[in-house]
Amino acid sequence: MQLSLIDWLCLGTYFLISFGIAWHLRARAQRSLSDFFVSGRGVPWWIAGTSMVATTFAVDTPLAVTGLTASFGIAGNWLWWSLLLSGMMTVFFFARLWRRAGVLTDVEFIELRYAGRPAAFLRGFRALYLGVLMNCLIMGWVNLAMAKVFQLTLGLSRLTAVLLCLALTAVYTTMAGLWGVLITDLLQFALMMSMTIALAYFAVAAVGGLGALKTKLLALEATQAGGGSLLDFLPAADSAWMPLTAFLVFIGVNWWASWYPGAEPGGGGYVAQRIFCAKDEKHSLWATLWFNIAHYALRPWPWILVALASVVLYPDLADKEAGYVLVMVDHLPASLRGLMLAAFLAAYMSTISTHLNWGASYIINDFYRRFLRPRATEQHHLRAAQVATILLMLLAGGVTYYLETIRGAWALLLMIGAGTGAVYLLRWYWWRINAWSEISAMVAAFLTSLALRHWVPFAGGEQLLFAKNMLATTAVCTAVWLTVTFLTRPEPADHLLNFYRRVRPAATGWRPVAAQAPEVRSTAAGWANLRAWVLGWAMVYLALFATGKLLLGFWTLGLLLLAGAITAALLLYFDFTRRGWETFG
């Protein structure tokens, strides 16, 4: 793809603005670890929430959505749409609790909730496991997607593309910490959203409009493996790709039972980091609510439209994910190519910058400062955080280089989190959970996953096999951690009491502890939060489906779904105004 002088000027302007923001914020970010990792806890909800959306706008995401949609139809997106249920649970059940905890990272929370050597071991292990191993694998995946974009557009080699992108991102992340990440995320989100909408417009125009797109898809008789049209919003009952059993596991079990980056049960990772940086509890709740609305309802359709157009434009394309980039190369006007490449870079940099800063927070706060240099000065730890950021950049580059050989390990690392989610949810609401509960859940999930991969006791297609393995792992893991919980001692009474007074969870599951702290006003839980949760995901799903139906010309159904979304939104607003936001969490 040839770039004009204007294209290069667009790219140059984007970099100048991004680095200008980082330079301007450098002093603010380097006052303390709190400023470097959680922006001094003074961020308004719309900045924190938009930053979450920008982070999940990774360059690999539109390519992955294109691959899913082109291969399995619109219904293929249930692989990630199902995670909305977890996201909305974080909004109404956990966001305010995280903010009250007042920790620097979600890994630090472990020693707030648990006590003694088991808690210290768990904190150190998870700091390195999540901050280094999992984090570098995620960045390696994103690097690979960015390299694919540059290979198809500019002809750059993978090594050149990865090193260039990582170095540029690491510079402003190291310079400005989370403040730089947050503010540049606003610019990056606006650019990314604008250009994905523009690409969708030109992709649809290339096939003759929305009506022609629908007609040509039906004429191609493009179906999922085993049945169902590409335009179906739900998997067909006889789908070989995702049969009914697998679909029910995704929407009934997977979202709460498994740990997945960005959709952790109960919140965690960079979502928790944005909650920590919010001004107060109210802003933490609004930030996570805005994130889930934007992530699941506002953003998917530009990607999906390009994916559907790519099926018509490139029906025999072997690499379905590459269809997104090919649409850009072949059908985006030359005057917009520089902006589109800048949008890809923005998507890449928003994700990588977050993972560099988030990973460094684990390494420094939860391992280096906690176990190696607890008495060092704040400035020493700030310098160590900057060094850790650079080291993570180098490790991520190395992972990308060898990514083909560890693809199976990546899939395994996602699977070994199966079954652990219940512990992450209940540790907030049940006093009896202890450090051994979490440790035993992780060990049981890991060993069960290895056993299932080795002996392969179940049969079926990819998603059905995943569903069966998920159910088996969750059952074994739950039985193990419940048994261990009741066979081991609870956390010390004074430690539990301090946690209860600080976080103020609902008293229902903390009755023995709450009885010792009658001065603590317990927040509402149970039916109030459950009703808000149902209204939240109903609002987003109805808005998502209404948008799709209206775009594809199904006006009656689209308007009915839109009316349902508006009704759910009004009822949720009534909850906020009549009962008050303070009752949530």
Side-chain angles (χ1 to χ4, degrees), residues 336 350 562:
L336 295 178
S350 64
L562 181 60

Side-chain angles (χ1 to χ4, degrees), residues 412 415-418 444-454 469 473:
L412 174 62
M415 187 62 194
I416 62 176
F446 176 76
L447 294 178
T448 305
S449 297
L450 283 180
L452 291 174
R453 287 173 65 89
H454 178 72
N469 286 342
T473 305

Side-chain angles (χ1 to χ4, degrees), residues 144-413:
L144 186 63
M146 193 70 233
K148 182 183 291 188
V149 171
F150 275 143
Q151 285 172 329
L152 292 172
T153 57
L154 300 180
L156 296 180
S157 68
R158 177 191 296 188
L159 181 61
T160 302
V162 168
L163 290 179
L164 176 64
C165 293
L166 273 175
L168 291 171
T169 308
V171 167
Y172 82 78
T173 306
T174 304
M175 187 188 305
L178 187 62
W179 270 118
V181 174
L182 292 171
I183 303 305
T184 52
D185 274 352
L186 296 179
L187 165 70
Q188 290 161 348
F189 175 72
L191 179 60
M192 290 181 288
M193 201 69 218
S194 299
M195 291 311 300
T196 54
I197 292 172
L199 183 61
Y201 171 82
F202 289 108
V204 171
V207 299
L210 288 169
L213 173 63
K214 186 169 65 172
T215 301
K216 290 177 180 179
L217 285 170
L218 294 174
L220 284 171
E221 297 181 349
T223 60
Q224 302 177 33
S229 168
L230 285 175
L231 298 177
D232 288 343
F233 283 28
L234 295 173
D238 59 345
S239 170
W241 168 71
M242 186 182 282
L244 182 61
T245 301
F247 179 66
L248 292 176
V249 169
F250 270 98
I251 64 172
V253 179
N254 183 55
W255 61 269
W256 63 263
S258 291
W259 182 93
Y260 184 82
E264 299 88 344
Y270 56 79
V271 173
Q273 185 188 42
R274 300 308 191 271
I275 293 172
F276 300 149
C277 77
K279 281 184 176 181
D280 52 34
E281 295 172 24
K282 183 177 180 179
H283 282 263
S284 71
L285 187 150
W286 281 105
T288 48
L289 180 60
W290 161 237
F291 162 60
N292 282 280
I293 292 172
H295 181 50
Y296 292 102
L298 300 183
R299 195 171 53 185
W301 282 106
W303 295 336
I304 293 171
L305 289 176
V306 173
L308 294 174
S310 73
V311 174
V312 175
L313 296 170
Y314 314 105
D316 300 319
L317 187 63
D319 183 1
K320 302 295 186 185
E321 293 183 358
Y324 193 90
V325 183
L326 290 176
V327 170
M328 180 188 78
V329 172
D330 295 339
H331 299 285
L332 192 68
S335 58
L336 295 178
R337 289 174 180 172
L339 281 174
M340 193 68 210
L341 271 182
F344 269 115
L345 280 167
Y348 169 85
M349 293 171 72
S350 64
T351 301
I352 294 297
S353 61
T354 285
H355 280 275
L356 289 174
N357 183 270
W358 165 55
S361 72
Y362 287 169
I363 295 170
I364 299 304
N365 184 67
D366 299 303
F367 187 78
Y368 184 77
R369 183 167 72 168
R370 170 63 179 84
F371 297 104
L372 301 182
R373 296 294 301 275
R375 293 186 176 85
T377 65
E378 189 80 354
Q379 287 303 310
H380 171 85
H381 288 131
L382 271 171
R383 290 191 296 271
Q386 293 172 323
V387 171
T389 303
I390 299 300
L391 290 176
L392 278 175
M393 179 203 77
L394 296 173
L395 286 172
V399 167
T400 307
Y401 187 77
Y402 293 103
L403 195 57
E404 286 89 352
T405 64
I406 60 174
R407 220 177 261 265
W410 165 248
L412 174 62
L413 285 171

Side-chain angles (χ1 to χ4, degrees), residues 476-498:
V476 171
C477 184
T478 302
V480 168
W481 73 256
L482 279 174
T483 302
V484 169
T485 299
F486 286 111
L487 289 178
T488 54
R489 293 180 178 179
E491 298 299 333
D494 58 340
H495 193 88
L496 291 172
L497 186 59
N498 289 335

